[in-house]
Amino acid sequence: MLDALRGAAAIHQPSRFWEELSASHLAILSSADGYAHFKRSLNYQYFQFGLTASRFPLASLLWRWLRHPDTRVLGARFDGATPSLPKVIDRLLLPVPLALYSSAVLRLPHGDVLSTTHEPAVGDPVVIRFGDLRLTEDLCHSVEERASVLEGLAGQTPRTVLELGAGYGRFAYVVLHAQPQTRYTIVDIPPALYVSQRYLTDVLPGRRVFKFRPFADHASVADEMAAADLVVLEPQQLELLPDRSFDLGVTISTLHEMRPEQISHYIRELDRLCDAVYTKQWRRFHNRRDGVVISASDYPIPHHWKPAFHRSPIFPRTFFEALYLVR
């Protein structure tokens, strides 16, 4: 994967921001038990925040809970011994706030998937016991995001999904678990691409996977890709795919970490490939490594994209989420 990416055009090379993170992630994954515990290490640079990293919206969650109180929230606890976490406040207080978040997600249209989807033990996640449910922050985020997507698509289930920058595959896991008929394509850079390919292969046994490999043209692999439930690609391979290949494009916590020319490039690719696009990014982000400051209004969204919504998610409030109808 690394060799193939090094040979790609400059537009596909990682930003300085991700060069630095990728080096640290490679070091973690190269250790004896790096993959075994990745949900407690490199995952904190994907989309796991805890109480302190992203202004946990405790007041708004309490208000939601008071309208439909569920006393089980008050008994939320870590599943097993209290885990060793980077922040002391998370070790002491995380279960009840996370249960409040999950309670809010469960009440969303399509949020009931949270009660039937379980966090895989692969990667050694920090799990919260809430009533009969075993939950994680990642699982709550992913179910909330899927609920937002289905709301924006008026309940229509996308049959083909492209995700640009999937982290370890948390959102893909929830979608493929809830929608077994969906065909899913991940585009990312290594080592994240390695983690998502290995993780989703581990937690979704029996699924047909087109694992990453270099190829020169789409025609040579079209039949294999069409037969796969999951396709794993690097960014330079995105350009080889035919127009309008996907019902939905997804990109979560990704664009603000790129160089400006890359942001424009990948939005053009999403426009070319997808009938709808869901995005979730920081409202304002200062990428110091690349000298870029980007706000929600700075993204070069094409004029013909029609917003189904543009708003704050339940959590984290420092992000915005939007779904656009491209065609």
Side-chain angles (χ1 to χ4, degrees), residues 16-279:
R16 291 180 179 176
F17 180 95
W18 264 104
E19 278 184 345
E20 190 172 288
L21 280 183
S22 293
S24 68
H25 292 180
L26 279 169
I28 291 169
L29 292 168
S30 298
S31 64
D33 58 355
Y35 176 74
H37 302 290
F38 76 83
K39 288 180 181 176
R40 301 194 186 209
S41 55
L42 57 86
N43 190 34
Y44 282 95
Q45 276 112 31
Y46 288 153
F47 203 81
Q48 185 167 270
F49 297 105
L51 295 180
T52 58
S54 194
R55 302 178 192 173
F56 199 95
L58 192 57
S60 64
L61 288 174
L62 279 170
W63 176 248
R64 285 173 179 264
W65 180 75
L66 286 170
R67 285 183 290 172
H68 303 282
D70 181 345
T71 55
R72 296 178 303 164
V73 164
L74 304 178
R77 64 192 187 281
F78 288 113
D79 191 53
T82 302
S84 176
L85 294 169
K87 301 289 186 179
V88 173
I89 190 170
D90 286 337
R91 291 200 295 270
L92 296 175
L93 302 176
L94 183 62
V96 170
L98 187 55
L100 287 170
Y101 178 35
S102 65
S103 179
V105 171
L106 280 163
R107 291 192 172 277
L108 295 172
H110 310 289
D112 58 344
V113 168
L114 190 59
S115 65
T116 57
T117 308
H118 304 288
E119 178 74 28
V122 176
D124 190 22
V126 175
V127 177
I128 302 299
R129 175 73 70 176
F130 164 37
D132 295 330
L133 304 181
R134 295 176 70 256
L135 304 167
T136 64
E137 182 184 330
D138 281 341
L139 192 59
C140 292
H141 286 310
S142 298
V143 172
E144 181 188 358
E145 290 153 2
R146 177 179 176 271
S148 292
V149 165
L150 293 178
E151 176 192 343
L153 297 178
Q156 294 184 357
T157 302
R159 296 165 300 170
T160 52
V161 178
L162 165 70
E163 185 172 6
L164 178 63
Y168 71 83
R170 64 168 181 82
F171 182 70
Y173 167 73
V174 166
V175 170
L176 289 169
H177 185 274
Q179 304 162 201
Q181 75 283 7
T182 297
R183 291 171 46 228
Y184 208 99
T185 297
I186 284 174
V187 176
D188 212 335
I189 59 173
L193 189 68
Y194 161 79
V195 177
S196 60
Q197 176 175 281
R198 181 173 175 181
Y199 177 73
L200 292 170
T201 303
D202 286 346
V203 301
L204 296 169
R207 298 298 179 96
R208 296 165 297 181
V209 181
F210 180 94
K211 294 185 177 181
F212 170 77
R213 72 173 191 261
F215 55 87
D217 60 85
H218 179 258
S220 64
V221 294
D223 290 343
E224 286 183 73
M225 290 175 65
D229 303 306
L230 173 67
V231 174
V232 181
L233 304 175
E234 284 192 338
Q236 69 275 15
Q237 296 173 315
L238 196 61
E239 298 175 354
L240 302 177
L241 302 184
D243 294 355
R244 299 194 66 178
S245 291
F246 303 98
D247 297 332
L248 174 70
V250 174
T251 187
I252 298 170
S253 192
T254 50
L255 299 177
H256 52 258
E257 298 167 350
M258 299 179 184
R259 303 185 300 273
E261 67 272 19
Q262 290 179 309
I263 296 172
S264 297
H265 170 77
Y266 288 115
I267 287 178
R268 286 194 300 270
E269 283 295 277
L270 290 169
D271 180 61
R272 180 179 71 85
L273 291 165
C274 305
D275 290 342
V277 173
Y278 172 78
T279 182

